[in-house]
Amino acid sequence: MKNGFYFLGLCICLCLWASCSSMEEVRDYNEKYTGEYTSRIAFPIGGLGTGMFCVEGSGAISNMNIRHKTEMLNEPTMFAGLYLKGVDNGSIVVEGQVPDWKKFGQPQSTKGYGGTWGLPRFKDCDFEVKFPFAKLRMSDDELKMDVTMKVWNPFIPTDENNSGLPVAGFEYTFKNKYAKEVEAIFSYNSKNFVDIRNGGASIRPIENGFIISQKGTETQPFHQADFAIFTDEPETKVNYCWFRGWSFDSFTMCWNEMSSGVIKENPANMADAPGASLYVPFRLQPGESKTIRLYMAWYVPFSLVREGLEPIDDVDVPIVPVVNERGEPAGYIDTSIQLSDKYRPWYSSRFANIEEVADYWMKNYNTLKEKTELFTDAFYATTLPAEVVEAVAANLTILKSPTIFRQYDGRMWNWEGCGNEYGSCYGSCTHVWNYAQAIPHLFPKMERTLRETEFFVSQAKNGHQAFKGGETMRVKVRSV
């Protein structure tokens, strides 16, 4: 019997040793993600109330939510490409490997609607986060070209305006590890993913890039959407119209041209343009590096979003006072537009069109980056435990998600959270947003608007306070 216990103990020890030896090294908090740890990353890029898209652990773009509605399964076909002249297998998508779960779990994936999934990619990729910056490093045994991709957008405490820009910055750095000069072409390629297939779609020019566009109409203004992709490289060339074919033809021809080093320059505004590409040719000496900046900006000024009850009469349109930074009266907010119309984002009150957004983004890029880096450096220079810092950073990403709205008049309005295709529980519910800590500490002006809504918009004349904006009118009816 005693020998039996020894044998059982030996078996348990052997099993534990075998399981531990087969496990991957455990990732430390705030350190880079590698291997399987990268497979479920979706890092949000977007400003306060602008919508967002995500950069995945592989560097792929997904979760495209720029139309003020939740579209977590929206994965547009857009990608960076690299062509190396005279190098075997020298054409590659500038991303890591596609996680296996996506190939069998995404909508339409079994039909082959996986965007760029079948194209060659870098074998190895790791992902490092220093909120709101993400850095990806890519390498491949066959390709002697190391790539680093850094992506971010402005996040500057107490500056809600510059933290509410519908923009993204990508910085691709290529390092030549060959013992010879390399001639290369960087490209960025995108289908017109804002095309609603109802007419009015186009691909328009912008300096060193393109704007994929969809027009709105008088009765359907919410169809309007523009997404600009451009560089500051003077040698940039642009193909404003992919091959117009059927099914996968357009994308296939895009890849065939890119992987052959062919630079097409079809003109802008061609009918039914399915997609566009920009190209940046460059040369690298052995050991030399080059960084290419890619700018993105979007502009969707209207929406179909409206929640809550209609105002009963003029008396029910609240008068919301405004105070300045010293707490002194500074006029009133006219809420009648918001109560009688659909949601419009704040950024559309600041910028008239996509060109203005793009121009502001490029001209102020360096300054906004420096200010954002000040926050990042201060945030991570702490004696708090690493797991606490990572948890706080992870939750700060909610401020970049479609959970957050900022209305045309500048006030904040939020869902409780988001499902795949819907926002859950409208009205900045006080049992969620009264307890949030990030907004009052980082963006106190936005917190003030939440409290103004709570005590003016959501509070009835009899003193009853609804727990979410838009329910006040129901309370008034009941109190009659």
Side-chain angles (χ1 to χ4, degrees):
M1 188 71 172
K2 187 175 181 180
N3 290 336
F5 280 117
Y6 283 140
F7 179 73
L8 177 61
L10 178 62
C11 289
I12 292 173
C13 290
L14 288 172
C15 289
L16 288 172
W17 175 83
S19 62
C20 290
S21 63
S22 64
M23 289 175 62
E24 290 187 22
E25 183 179 349
V26 176
R27 172 186 168 271
D28 292 329
Y29 291 106
N30 294 314
E31 298 299 323
K32 65 182 180 181
Y33 298 81
T34 60
E36 283 300 309
Y37 287 112
T38 67
S39 66
R40 293 283 180 171
I41 294 173
F43 186 77
I45 298 292
L48 292 169
T50 68
M52 69 164 194
F53 61 81
C54 289
V55 176
E56 298 192 344
S58 64
I61 302 297
S62 66
N63 300 76
M64 183 61 71
N65 293 257
I66 62 170
R67 285 190 174 273
H68 317 298
K69 60 182 180 179
T70 307
E71 297 181 279
M72 295 301 185
L73 302 179
N74 182 7
E75 186 169 337
T77 300
M78 51 194 305
F79 69 100
L82 179 65
Y83 166 78
L84 302 179
K85 185 177 181 179
V87 175
D88 292 338
N89 301 317
S91 300
I92 195 167
V93 174
V94 186
E95 295 175 14
Q97 297 295 306
V98 179
D100 287 341
W101 70 266
K102 292 188 70 174
K103 301 171 187 176
F104 306 101
Q106 292 290 83
Q108 307 293 336
S109 59
T110 55
K111 292 184 177 181
Y113 295 153
T116 66
W117 293 356
L119 301 181
R121 287 166 157 70
F122 284 89
K123 180 182 177 182
D124 298 308
C125 179
D126 63 58
F127 193 103
E128 182 181 1
V129 173
K130 288 289 184 288
F131 181 85
F133 296 90
K135 181 186 290 185
L136 293 83
R137 300 175 184 87
M138 306 173 207
S139 61
D140 196 281
D141 295 337
E142 293 186 16
L143 206 64
K144 297 181 180 179
M145 181 75 71
D146 286 350
V147 179
T148 300
M149 184 182 87
K150 190 172 186 177
V151 60
W152 71 287
N153 71 316
F155 190 88
I156 306 166
T158 73
D159 186 352
E160 65 280 353
N161 291 347
N162 281 321
S163 300
L165 297 174
V167 298
F170 290 73
E171 299 176 6
Y172 293 90
T173 300
F174 302 94
K175 183 175 182 179
N176 179 15
K177 297 174 64 178
Y178 289 95
K180 61 179 182 179
E181 180 187 67
V182 170
E183 186 176 344
I185 302 173
F186 168 80
S187 66
Y188 203 88
N189 316 271
S190 179
K191 284 188 175 181
N192 187 344
F193 58 85
V194 301
D195 182 0
I196 59 172
R197 301 182 183 277
N198 193 29
S202 66
I203 296 181
R204 302 188 280 115
I206 191 172
E207 186 174 2
N208 297 322
F210 56 87
I211 301 170
I212 56 177
S213 181
Q214 171 65 54
K215 290 183 178 180
T217 64
E218 186 175 347
T219 58
Q220 297 174 314
F222 49 86
H223 283 168
Q224 180 182 341
D226 296 298
F227 198 101
I229 303 173
F230 56 102
T231 77
D232 53 11
E233 296 282 341
E235 302 300 319
T236 302
K237 301 180 185 301
V238 183
N239 177 13
Y240 293 100
C241 184
W242 286 356
F243 176 84
R244 288 170 288 189
W246 180 250
S247 189
F248 299 99
D249 291 348
S250 299
F251 176 67
T252 300
M253 290 299 292
C254 166
W255 172 254
N256 288 345
E257 291 163 1
M258 196 216 86
S259 61
S260 302
V262 174
I263 297 179
K264 283 280 184 75
E265 293 185 82
N266 290 324
N269 298 311
M270 295 181 70
D272 303 318
S277 300
L278 63 80
Y279 309 91
V280 180
F282 64 98
R283 294 173 181 268
L284 290 178
Q285 297 299 320
E288 188 179 9
S289 297
K290 178 178 176 61
T291 297
I292 296 173
R293 280 187 184 175
L294 186 79
Y295 304 82
M296 293 185 184
W298 58 95
Y299 190 81
V300 185
F302 303 102
S303 83
L304 272 174
V305 177
R306 181 180 176 83
E307 297 288 351
L309 303 177
E310 296 287 339
I312 299 171
D313 53 43
D314 291 343
V315 177
D316 291 312
V317 178
I319 299 174
V320 181
V322 178
V323 295
N324 60 24
E325 294 179 355
R326 296 184 298 277
E328 301 166 341
Y332 297 89
I333 294 174
D334 180 5
T335 61
S336 60
I337 295 176
Q338 287 301 315
L339 285 173
S340 61
D341 205 355
K342 306 292 191 298
Y343 167 75
R344 295 183 63 185
W346 170 83
Y347 68 74
S348 66
S349 72
R350 181 179 183 183
F351 302 103
N353 50 50
I354 184 65
E355 286 82 3
E356 288 190 7
V357 177
D359 183 64
Y360 183 86
W361 179 216
M362 193 162 75
K363 287 180 177 178
N364 293 278
Y365 185 96
N366 291 333
T367 299
L368 295 172
K369 185 179 179 184
E370 289 173 4
K371 291 182 177 180
T372 301
E373 287 173 334
L374 286 175
F375 164 75
T376 300
D377 293 342
F379 179 79
Y380 286 93
T382 178
T383 57
L384 288 172
E387 55 267 38
V388 173
V389 177
E390 183 165 299
V392 172
N395 282 278
L396 283 178
T397 63
I398 296 170
L399 299 181
K400 294 176 171 291
S401 76
T403 300
I404 303 294
F405 285 76
R406 190 181 179 194
Q407 300 179 122
Y408 194 84
D409 57 18
R411 292 181 296 157
M412 181 172 271
W413 186 99
N414 308 318
W415 300 111
E416 284 192 38
C418 289
N420 283 340
E421 298 177 344
Y422 62 92
S424 176
C425 300
Y426 67 87
S428 307
C429 296
T430 55
H431 59 253
V432 174
W433 296 100
N434 269 9
Y435 305 104
Q437 295 297 306
I439 295 174
H441 284 88
L442 299 179
F443 301 102
K445 290 181 182 178
M446 293 292 91
E447 176 71 15
R448 185 178 295 127
T449 69
L450 290 175
R451 303 286 71 80
E452 288 169 349
T453 296
E454 180 180 2
F455 284 95
F456 293 97
V457 179
S458 297
Q459 185 162 302
K461 291 180 179 180
N462 65 2
H464 183 100
Q465 191 176 79
F467 75 95
K468 60 181 179 179
E471 294 292 289
T472 308
M473 307 311 165
R474 186 178 299 168
V475 174
K476 287 182 178 178
V477 172
R478 288 175 177 171
S479 65
V480 171

